[in-house]
Short mmCIF file of all heavy atoms in Angstrom, two decimals:
data_model
loop_
_atom_site.label_atom_id
_atom_site.label_comp_id
_atom_site.label_asym_id
_atom_site.label_seq_id
_atom_site.Cartn_x
_atom_site.Cartn_y
_atom_site.Cartn_z
N GLU L 38 -7.12 24.82 -18.50
CA GLU L 38 -5.79 24.23 -18.69
C GLU L 38 -5.79 22.76 -19.10
O GLU L 38 -4.83 22.29 -19.70
CB GLU L 38 -4.96 24.41 -17.41
CG GLU L 38 -4.52 25.86 -17.23
CD GLU L 38 -3.79 26.11 -15.92
OE1 GLU L 38 -3.66 25.17 -15.10
OE2 GLU L 38 -3.35 27.26 -15.71
N VAL L 39 -6.87 22.02 -18.75
CA VAL L 39 -6.87 20.59 -19.11
C VAL L 39 -7.01 20.44 -20.62
O VAL L 39 -7.34 21.38 -21.34
CB VAL L 39 -8.00 19.80 -18.39
CG1 VAL L 39 -7.74 19.71 -16.91
CG2 VAL L 39 -9.37 20.40 -18.70
N ASP L 40 -6.78 19.19 -21.08
CA ASP L 40 -6.87 18.93 -22.52
C ASP L 40 -8.29 18.61 -22.95
O ASP L 40 -8.66 18.80 -24.11
CB ASP L 40 -5.96 17.74 -22.88
CG ASP L 40 -4.53 17.99 -22.42
OD1 ASP L 40 -3.92 18.96 -22.92
OD2 ASP L 40 -4.04 17.26 -21.53
N LEU L 41 -9.08 18.09 -21.99
CA LEU L 41 -10.40 17.59 -22.34
C LEU L 41 -11.33 17.69 -21.14
O LEU L 41 -10.90 17.43 -20.01
CB LEU L 41 -10.24 16.12 -22.76
CG LEU L 41 -11.37 15.40 -23.47
CD1 LEU L 41 -11.74 16.12 -24.78
CD2 LEU L 41 -10.97 13.96 -23.77
N VAL L 42 -12.59 18.06 -21.39
CA VAL L 42 -13.58 18.09 -20.31
C VAL L 42 -14.61 16.99 -20.57
O VAL L 42 -15.26 16.98 -21.62
CB VAL L 42 -14.29 19.46 -20.23
CG1 VAL L 42 -15.38 19.44 -19.16
CG2 VAL L 42 -13.29 20.57 -19.95
N ALA L 43 -14.72 16.04 -19.65
CA ALA L 43 -15.72 14.98 -19.75
C ALA L 43 -16.97 15.46 -19.05
O ALA L 43 -16.97 15.67 -17.84
CB ALA L 43 -15.20 13.69 -19.12
N ALA L 44 -18.06 15.65 -19.82
CA ALA L 44 -19.25 16.31 -19.28
C ALA L 44 -20.48 15.43 -19.39
O ALA L 44 -20.67 14.71 -20.37
CB ALA L 44 -19.49 17.61 -20.03
N GLU L 45 -21.34 15.54 -18.36
CA GLU L 45 -22.58 14.75 -18.34
C GLU L 45 -23.46 15.13 -19.54
O GLU L 45 -24.03 14.27 -20.20
CB GLU L 45 -23.32 15.06 -17.02
CG GLU L 45 -24.52 14.18 -16.80
CD GLU L 45 -25.23 14.49 -15.49
OE1 GLU L 45 -24.80 15.42 -14.77
OE2 GLU L 45 -26.21 13.79 -15.18
N ASP L 46 -23.56 16.42 -19.81
CA ASP L 46 -24.33 16.89 -20.96
C ASP L 46 -23.47 17.96 -21.64
O ASP L 46 -23.30 19.06 -21.11
CB ASP L 46 -25.66 17.47 -20.47
CG ASP L 46 -26.50 18.01 -21.61
OD1 ASP L 46 -25.94 18.40 -22.65
OD2 ASP L 46 -27.74 18.07 -21.45
N THR L 47 -22.94 17.61 -22.81
CA THR L 47 -21.95 18.52 -23.43
C THR L 47 -22.58 19.86 -23.81
O THR L 47 -21.91 20.89 -23.73
CB THR L 47 -21.30 17.87 -24.67
OG1 THR L 47 -22.33 17.35 -25.50
CG2 THR L 47 -20.34 16.76 -24.29
N ARG L 48 -23.87 19.84 -24.20
CA ARG L 48 -24.50 21.12 -24.59
C ARG L 48 -24.61 22.06 -23.39
O ARG L 48 -24.31 23.26 -23.47
CB ARG L 48 -25.89 20.88 -25.18
CG ARG L 48 -25.83 20.68 -26.69
CD ARG L 48 -27.19 20.70 -27.29
NE ARG L 48 -28.02 19.69 -26.63
CZ ARG L 48 -29.30 19.48 -26.92
NH1 ARG L 48 -29.89 20.22 -27.82
NH2 ARG L 48 -29.99 18.54 -26.29
N ASN L 49 -25.01 21.48 -22.29
CA ASN L 49 -25.15 22.24 -21.05
C ASN L 49 -23.78 22.81 -20.62
O ASN L 49 -23.65 24.00 -20.30
CB ASN L 49 -25.73 21.28 -19.99
CG ASN L 49 -26.03 21.97 -18.71
OD1 ASN L 49 -26.34 23.15 -18.71
ND2 ASN L 49 -25.94 21.25 -17.61
N THR L 50 -22.77 21.94 -20.64
CA THR L 50 -21.44 22.38 -20.19
C THR L 50 -20.82 23.38 -21.18
O THR L 50 -20.09 24.28 -20.79
CB THR L 50 -20.52 21.16 -19.96
OG1 THR L 50 -21.13 20.34 -18.96
CG2 THR L 50 -19.14 21.56 -19.48
N LYS L 51 -21.17 23.21 -22.47
CA LYS L 51 -20.66 24.15 -23.48
C LYS L 51 -21.12 25.58 -23.12
O LYS L 51 -20.33 26.53 -23.20
CB LYS L 51 -21.20 23.75 -24.87
CG LYS L 51 -20.67 24.58 -26.00
CD LYS L 51 -19.26 24.16 -26.34
CE LYS L 51 -18.61 25.13 -27.29
NZ LYS L 51 -17.15 25.16 -27.18
N ASN L 52 -22.37 25.71 -22.69
CA ASN L 52 -22.88 27.04 -22.31
C ASN L 52 -22.08 27.60 -21.14
O ASN L 52 -21.74 28.78 -21.11
CB ASN L 52 -24.36 26.95 -21.90
CG ASN L 52 -25.23 26.68 -23.09
OD1 ASN L 52 -24.85 26.97 -24.22
ND2 ASN L 52 -26.40 26.10 -22.85
N LEU L 53 -21.78 26.71 -20.17
CA LEU L 53 -21.00 27.14 -19.01
C LEU L 53 -19.60 27.59 -19.46
O LEU L 53 -19.10 28.65 -19.05
CB LEU L 53 -20.90 26.00 -18.00
CG LEU L 53 -20.17 26.31 -16.71
CD1 LEU L 53 -21.06 27.07 -15.74
CD2 LEU L 53 -19.68 25.03 -16.02
N LEU L 54 -18.98 26.77 -20.30
CA LEU L 54 -17.62 27.10 -20.75
C LEU L 54 -17.63 28.41 -21.55
O LEU L 54 -16.74 29.25 -21.37
CB LEU L 54 -17.05 25.96 -21.61
CG LEU L 54 -16.85 24.60 -20.95
CD1 LEU L 54 -15.90 23.73 -21.78
CD2 LEU L 54 -16.29 24.69 -19.53
N ASN L 55 -18.64 28.59 -22.39
CA ASN L 55 -18.72 29.84 -23.16
C ASN L 55 -18.80 31.04 -22.23
O ASN L 55 -18.14 32.06 -22.45
CB ASN L 55 -19.96 29.83 -24.06
CG ASN L 55 -19.76 28.92 -25.25
OD1 ASN L 55 -18.63 28.53 -25.58
ND2 ASN L 55 -20.86 28.56 -25.91
N HIS L 56 -19.59 30.90 -21.17
CA HIS L 56 -19.76 32.00 -20.22
C HIS L 56 -18.42 32.42 -19.63
O HIS L 56 -18.19 33.61 -19.40
CB HIS L 56 -20.73 31.58 -19.10
CG HIS L 56 -20.97 32.65 -18.10
ND1 HIS L 56 -21.93 33.63 -18.26
CD2 HIS L 56 -20.36 32.92 -16.91
CE1 HIS L 56 -21.89 34.45 -17.23
NE2 HIS L 56 -20.95 34.04 -16.39
N PHE L 57 -17.56 31.45 -19.39
CA PHE L 57 -16.25 31.76 -18.77
C PHE L 57 -15.12 31.80 -19.81
O PHE L 57 -13.94 31.75 -19.45
CB PHE L 57 -15.94 30.73 -17.67
CG PHE L 57 -16.83 30.88 -16.46
CD1 PHE L 57 -17.91 30.03 -16.27
CD2 PHE L 57 -16.63 31.91 -15.54
CE1 PHE L 57 -18.76 30.18 -15.17
CE2 PHE L 57 -17.46 32.07 -14.45
CZ PHE L 57 -18.54 31.21 -14.26
N GLU L 58 -15.51 31.87 -21.07
CA GLU L 58 -14.55 31.97 -22.19
C GLU L 58 -13.51 30.85 -22.14
O GLU L 58 -12.30 31.08 -22.24
CB GLU L 58 -13.88 33.36 -22.19
CG GLU L 58 -14.91 34.46 -22.42
CD GLU L 58 -14.32 35.85 -22.32
OE1 GLU L 58 -13.14 35.99 -21.95
OE2 GLU L 58 -15.08 36.80 -22.59
#
Side-chain angles (χ1 to χ4, degrees):
E38 287 175 358
V39 291
D40 304 298
L41 193 59
V42 176
E45 187 179 3
D46 178 335
T47 49
R48 270 190 304 178
N49 185 29
T50 300
K51 184 77 191 154
N52 290 336
L53 182 80
L54 297 197
N55 286 344
H56 181 86
F57 290 101
E58 297 175 354

